[in-house]
Amino acid sequence: AIKGSVRWTCEDVGGTQRTTILDSSTGIWVRPYILHSYEALTDKAELIVIANTLFLPDDPSTHDTYTAELFRELQSTRSSSQK
């Protein structure tokens, strides 16, 4: 966060969750295939996001962001393939 603070929660396709409090002295790098959400802990909290991946709107192979529903499907596929 560049102003205030936020609670950032990440979950990988294996189901492991991690929560971090971000403030003006803390940042986080989010790998691909990580579902994330955040909650502002202070009024007027602000985040800055820097993306370093190619994103072409018409080319799904460049998308590394998924809806929660599609992410859950990826988790299900991964867990059933490991059985």
Side-chain angles (χ1 to χ4, degrees):
I2 59 172
K3 279 190 180 176
S5 62
V6 299
R7 177 181 297 114
W8 190 276
T9 302
C10 297
E11 181 177 353
D12 66 22
V13 292
T16 303
Q17 291 188 357
R18 177 180 171 194
T19 299
T20 304
I21 303 300
L22 302 177
D23 58 25
S24 62
S25 65
T26 309
I28 191 167
W29 173 64
V30 180
R31 303 181 329 254
Y33 305 106
I34 301 292
L35 181 68
H36 61 277
S37 61
Y38 63 90
E39 173 188 3
L41 299 176
T42 58
D43 287 341
K44 299 183 181 179
E46 294 181 15
L47 293 172
I48 187 168
V49 176
I50 300 169
N52 66 352
T53 57
L54 175 67
F55 179 83
L56 302 172
D58 297 328
D59 183 357
S61 70
T62 66
H63 302 182
D64 64 359
T65 301
Y66 304 94
T67 64
E69 179 181 18
L70 183 53
F71 186 82
R72 299 291 177 222
E73 288 178 28
L74 289 170
Q75 283 183 316
S76 175
T77 300
R78 183 178 185 273
S79 66
S80 60
S81 70
Q82 292 182 341
K83 291 180 181 177

